Amino acid sequence: MDNLDKTSSYRQILKYTSLFGSIQGINILIALLRNKIVAVLLGPSVMGLMSLFNSTLQMLSTATNLGIGTSSVKTLSEQMEEDDTYRQERHVRVIRSWVMLTAIIGLVVSLLLVPLLNKWVFADGDHCLQLLLLVPAVPMMAIFGGELAVLKATRQLTSLARISVLNMAFTLVSALLLFYFVGEKAIVPYLVSVAFAQMLFTIIHSYRLYPLRLSLRGKTLREGLPMVKLGLAFVAAGICGTGADFAIRAILNQVASLEIVGLYNSGFMMTMVYAGMIFSAFDSDFYPRLSKVNRNIQESNQLVNRQIEVTSHLLSPMLIAFSIGMPVLLPLLFSSKFIPVLSMIQVATLSMFLRGMKLPAAYLMLGKGDSKTYFWMELYSAVVLVVTVIGGYQLFGLIGTGVGILLTELIDLLVVYIVTRLRYGYRVSKEVVRTASQHLPLQVLCLAVTLLLTDIGYYVAGILLFSVSLGLSIHFFIKQK
């Protein structure tokens, strides 16, 4: 590939990463206000209860959606390359037909599981009625996931950005109104209303592109069997991830308290969500593009390595500023009651840089439709996460949960690189090695500063590290112009 194509590729990655990063930045500002509202009005214990309901909802959704939201992006992206409008419309109909079927399955299965979930998850009383009222959100999330996949595969990036902003704006307004006037009892209505809103916003945009047509006839459903077969492995893999998230919160609720669950959830959310400014472009832009070139090893490797470079340069200064500013941000964004989770967040922040280096390579499994490898990787990662986080908490308290997240991401990074090298011929480029050698030491030094320094020395060292990281990133992006 010549220098012009190379530069163009970097620019495309930066363009869409910046686009969705900016949108995610707006979402985060809205989320800050929402979290502040919930933290002040409800406190850590009730936030812990809400995280248990939300984890339960996510697990039910993942377990019953047959992975359509993931597998359909790959299959429809490949169809888009053929420029056959009829086949594309036909495939969208197949996707929607299977999504409708999964919505019905999700509703029935969730209703049947309510008594068991009430017994397994909650140690503070009977929540059967609340779980029953939560169930309608499961089919809503199935429909939302299917329509979102259609928009991703057809690269309707403007619509995806608009939907994201609308969803977050709705969550802010509904959180303010419901929790202010209703309080703790508003948790389930809030979660259901958010699921309905995101479904509604998505189908409005998707139906304009492809008007709704469904067919539950055997012939139509049979056309989608390869997609479903691929999706089922993604379901199993997804259950591992959401199951680990669910298990950690349930175990912390049993061995500690709802307050600890709330603190852990706020720390996890702060760490994962705000780094998600950069990761938000992966599903919407990177995954469909990788799926299109998945049969070409050289192009796949180039795309992955360039995504790692851009992601690392964008992440590094942001993570340093985030970690150094956390003593001020945490009470500002939540309340002083959440200070005990400060060290957990600062330790876990380093894991986000490792995650940024891992994810593009991990997407090779999705882009190539290698569902079996993807499942085993997710299963192993989920087990490691639960063991390290719970073990870390037992040994060191909340900071130990941050250490557990960091250890999991470090192990994941090494294993993903080894597996993708052996199975797909992925090779880390010298540019990626150079980028890591520049920014990773700065991230480690930043963690050392947060743990060892105080007062003026803390902020002087932090500003110095941020300046160096920012300078390296600016130099990289200037070279791509």
Side-chain angles (χ1 to χ4, degrees):
M1 182 176 288
D2 60 31
N3 290 333
L4 181 61
D5 289 337
K6 180 178 179 180
T7 302
S8 182
S9 175
Y10 277 117
R11 286 179 178 175
Q12 183 177 10
I13 294 170
L14 179 60
K15 175 183 176 181
Y16 290 114
T17 301
S18 300
L19 169 65
F20 285 96
S22 300
I23 295 299
Q24 188 70 4
I26 297 173
N27 290 348
I28 287 171
L29 290 176
I30 296 173
L32 296 180
L33 295 174
R34 182 196 64 201
N35 293 338
K36 184 70 174 180
I37 291 168
V38 176
V40 171
L41 294 179
L42 303 182
S45 295
V46 181
M47 284 191 73
L49 181 62
M50 184 166 72
S51 74
L52 287 176
F53 277 116
N54 190 51
S55 295
T56 303
L57 177 59
Q58 295 297 328
M59 187 183 68
L60 288 171
S61 174
T62 302
T64 59
N65 63 22
L66 300 185
I68 303 296
T70 302
S71 61
S72 60
V73 172
K74 178 185 182 302
T75 54
L76 186 54
S77 292
E78 293 173 341
Q79 292 280 348
M80 297 301 294
E81 283 293 280
E82 299 179 8
D83 198 27
D84 186 332
T85 303
Y86 173 78
R87 289 190 65 185
Q88 292 165 11
E89 291 177 350
R90 177 76 181 177
H91 198 71
V92 169
R93 182 186 305 178
V94 171
I95 292 171
R96 286 174 170 166
S97 300
W98 272 102
V99 164
M100 187 58 63
L101 191 58
T102 63
I104 296 170
I105 292 171
L107 180 65
V108 174
V109 170
S110 299
L111 288 171
L112 293 175
L113 287 178
V114 162
L116 292 175
L117 290 170
N118 181 62
K119 181 179 179 180
W120 292 341
V121 180
F122 300 97
D124 63 332
D126 185 4
H127 293 277
C128 274
L129 178 59
Q130 290 167 296
L131 286 170
L132 283 171
L133 295 175
L134 188 65
V135 164
V138 175
M140 295 177 193
M141 292 176 68
I143 296 171
F144 162 70
E147 298 304 325
L148 197 67
V150 171
L151 294 174
K152 288 177 182 178
T154 54
R155 296 185 57 74
Q156 303 297 309
L157 302 181
T158 302
S159 294
L160 290 170
R162 188 180 296 118
I163 290 167
S164 182
V165 173
L166 288 172
N167 285 339
M168 292 304 296
F170 180 85
T171 63
L172 173 64
V173 174
S174 59
L176 176 61
L177 295 176
L178 288 171
F179 291 123
Y180 181 79
F181 289 106
V182 184
E184 177 182 342
K185 295 181 179 179
I187 291 176
V188 171
Y190 168 73
L191 293 174
V192 174
S193 65
V194 167
F196 175 77
Q198 67 181 12
M199 177 189 71
L200 181 63
F201 295 145
T202 307
I203 64 176
I204 287 173
H205 288 81
S206 182
Y207 288 1
R208 288 174 183 169
L209 185 64
Y210 293 103
L212 178 62
R213 293 186 180 88
L214 295 173
S215 175
L216 295 179
R217 294 181 300 176
K219 181 180 178 181
T220 302
L221 295 178
R222 281 194 296 273
E223 288 183 39
L225 285 177
M227 175 184 68
V228 173
K229 182 180 178 181
L230 177 63
L232 284 173
F234 293 145
V235 168
I239 290 175
C240 294
T242 56
D245 182 64
F246 175 81
I248 289 171
R249 285 161 174 77
I251 293 171
L252 287 177
N253 186 37
Q254 297 291 335
V255 302
S257 65
L258 271 177
E259 182 175 355
I260 292 298
V261 176
L263 289 170
Y264 169 79
N265 185 68
S266 63
F268 186 84
M269 180 174 60
M270 287 282 285
T271 306
M272 295 292 180
V273 170
Y274 302 124
M277 284 180 61
I278 308 302
F279 302 149
S280 61
F282 284 16
D283 274 348
S284 302
D285 173 61
F286 176 64
Y287 175 35
R289 285 193 294 122
L290 186 61
S291 296
K292 291 180 180 179
V293 300
N294 74 85
R295 295 182 179 89
N296 188 310
I297 294 177
Q298 183 180 1
E299 288 190 35
S300 295
N301 284 352
Q302 288 175 337
L303 187 57
V304 168
N305 284 322
R306 288 169 189 169
Q307 187 72 49
I308 293 174
E309 286 183 78
V310 172
T311 300
S312 298
H313 281 291
L314 288 173
L315 268 180
S316 183
M318 186 192 79
L319 291 177
I320 291 175
F322 177 78
S323 185
I324 295 297
M326 192 48 56
V328 176
L329 290 172
L330 187 58
L332 180 66
L333 302 180
F334 289 90
S335 73
S336 58
K337 296 178 181 179
F338 290 81
I339 289 297
V341 83
L342 172 63
S343 295
M344 170 205 164
I345 295 173
Q346 291 174 321
V347 172
T349 297
L350 175 56
S351 72
M352 291 300 97
F353 184 79
L354 301 178
R355 188 178 182 85
M357 295 194 66
K358 176 196 76 175
L359 277 181
Y363 267 82
L364 281 168
M365 304 173 207
L366 297 175
K368 293 180 179 296
D370 189 354
S371 54
K372 186 180 295 185
T373 301
Y374 181 68
F375 165 72
W376 287 112
M377 290 292 294
E378 287 293 299
L379 177 60
Y380 123 83
S381 180
V383 172
V384 172
L385 181 63
V386 173
V387 171
T388 55
V389 169
I390 297 301
Y393 177 77
Q394 297 280 22
L395 292 173
F396 307 112
L398 280 170
I399 190 174
T401 63
V403 173
I405 294 171
L406 176 58
L407 284 175
T408 300
E409 289 295 342
L410 177 59
I411 296 169
D412 272 1
L413 174 65
L414 297 175
V415 173
V416 165
Y417 277 14
I418 292 171
V419 170
T420 52
R421 171 66 180 271
L422 295 176
R423 288 193 64 82
Y424 317 123
Y426 169 65
R427 294 178 180 272
V428 178
S429 67
K430 61 182 181 181
E431 289 83 6
V432 168
V433 173
R434 182 171 59 246
T435 299
S437 67
Q438 291 173 342
H439 286 292
L440 187 55
L442 297 176
Q443 297 298 316
V444 174
L445 286 173
C446 179
L447 176 58
V449 167
T450 63
L451 297 177
L452 301 175
L453 298 184
T454 58
D455 301 327
I456 189 67
Y458 173 91
Y459 289 104
V460 169
I463 291 172
L464 179 61
L465 290 172
F466 170 76
S467 300
V468 173
S469 180
L470 183 62
L472 289 169
S473 296
I474 290 174
H475 177 69
F476 169 80
F477 291 122
I478 287 176
K479 287 198 307 181
Q480 310 313 319
K481 291 185 177 180

